[in-house]
Amino acid sequence: NAGVTQTPKFQVLKTGQSMTLQCAQDMNHNSMYWYRQDPGMGLRLIYYSASEGTTDKGEVPNGYNVSRLNKREFSLRLESAAPSQTSVYFCASSESAGLYGYTFGSGTRLTVV
Amino acid sequence: RKEVEQDPGPFNVPEGATVAFNCTYSNSASQSFFWYRQDCRKEPKLLMSVYSSGNEDGRFTAQLNRASQYISLLIRDSKLSDSATYLCVVFRGTSYGKLTFGQGTILTVHP
């Protein structure tokens, strides 16, 4: 069972470069989420998609865009990377809009230099 | 006030010890409650849901007190493999189903 798959696992960007983080789930979940995790800050919601075709901002959306390509895939794009975006990014999905918790991907470690 | 607050620890306990973690949440409309475990440099994984009547899974016992807005996790007979960060998580049942995570409690079990 693949669950939630994120790519890439590691990435180093230069300031100003762009990139897209990919996320796919095979559990037929409706809702998908992007979080970032920083030391001392916990997990913070960047964007979420309650269902295919919808996306909304979370707590820290600035500098990011998302695309819910289909029910399985939810990508996160950094248009012009900044050192403040150095973080670990987790994608998650849920059935019943989180009532039973989330399943997380293994994360992407991003460093912006 | 943070929506979910945990004692960050760290807790350092010997193998075989019993350790308890506490968590408080601020929104009385919260519907579901969870404990997640996160190993170093890994993703959070669901450890157990927390039910109003309290629930147990092997060496782990979770309790919920809705009146006090308080959640706890008790680990008995600690193992080295229990070393991890434990996240208290609350579901408020908004239209988009957002989970709110505490910052986590670090547990280290030593020989």
Side-chain angles (χ1 to χ4, degrees):
Chain A
N1 292 336
V4 179
T5 303
Q6 286 184 239
T7 56
K9 292 190 182 301
F10 302 93
Q11 184 71 49
V12 179
L13 289 179
K14 293 182 179 179
T15 297
Q17 286 184 319
S18 61
M19 78 162 295
T20 299
L21 281 63
Q22 306 288 352
C23 175
Q25 52 91 8
D26 62 0
M27 297 172 287
N28 203 36
H29 286 171
N30 285 317
S31 303
M32 298 185 73
Y33 310 83
W34 276 104
Y35 281 83
R36 61 178 289 174
Q37 187 174 37
D38 303 289
M41 302 294 289
L43 282 155
R44 293 182 292 170
L45 182 65
I46 305 171
Y47 270 93
Y48 63 95
S49 172
S51 61
E52 184 179 357
T54 68
T55 61
D56 284 287
K57 296 178 180 179
E59 303 167 60
V60 289
N62 292 342
Y64 305 95
N65 285 301
V66 289
S67 295
R68 183 74 183 268
L69 304 170
N70 47 54
K71 191 171 186 179
R72 289 187 65 247
E73 299 173 285
F74 188 37
S75 62
L76 178 71
R77 182 161 178 83
L78 286 71
E79 292 291 351
S80 179
S84 60
Q85 294 179 304
T86 293
S87 188
V88 181
Y89 291 85
F90 289 106
C91 177
S93 71
S94 73
E95 60 176 326
S96 302
L99 180 62
Y100 305 114
Y102 293 169
T103 299
F104 283 88
S106 59
T108 295
R109 294 189 173 276
L110 175 67
T111 301
V112 183
V113 297
Chain B
R1 181 185 173 188
K2 292 180 181 176
E3 194 166 341
V4 180
E5 295 203 63
Q6 295 181 247
D7 179 349
F11 286 70
N12 293 294
V13 302
E15 276 186 288
T18 296
V19 61
F21 304 141
N22 303 318
C23 169
T24 59
Y25 60 96
S26 61
N27 194 312
S28 60
S30 298
Q31 293 184 336
S32 303
F33 309 89
F34 311 92
W35 284 100
Y36 273 70
R37 169 193 170 126
Q38 186 172 23
D39 293 301
C40 187
R41 303 178 76 81
K42 299 284 190 180
E43 73 273 23
K45 291 185 178 178
L46 180 64
L47 178 66
M48 59 195 302
S49 301
V50 187
Y51 303 117
S52 297
S53 56
N55 49 298
E56 191 173 302
D57 182 1
R59 298 181 293 107
F60 298 84
T61 301
Q63 297 279 352
L64 168 64
N65 184 321
R66 286 188 181 271
S68 302
Q69 296 179 202
Y70 171 92
I71 306 162
S72 65
L73 177 68
L74 181 76
I75 305 175
R76 292 182 300 278
D77 189 23
S78 298
K79 311 292 185 189
L80 296 176
S81 57
D82 293 334
S83 297
T85 297
Y86 291 83
L87 302 168
C88 176
V89 185
V90 173
F91 172 72
R92 193 154 33 94
T94 59
S95 60
Y96 56 84
K98 173 178 166 289
L99 294 184
T100 303
F101 292 79
Q103 290 202 18
T105 298
I106 299 170
L107 172 66
T108 300
V109 182
H110 57 82

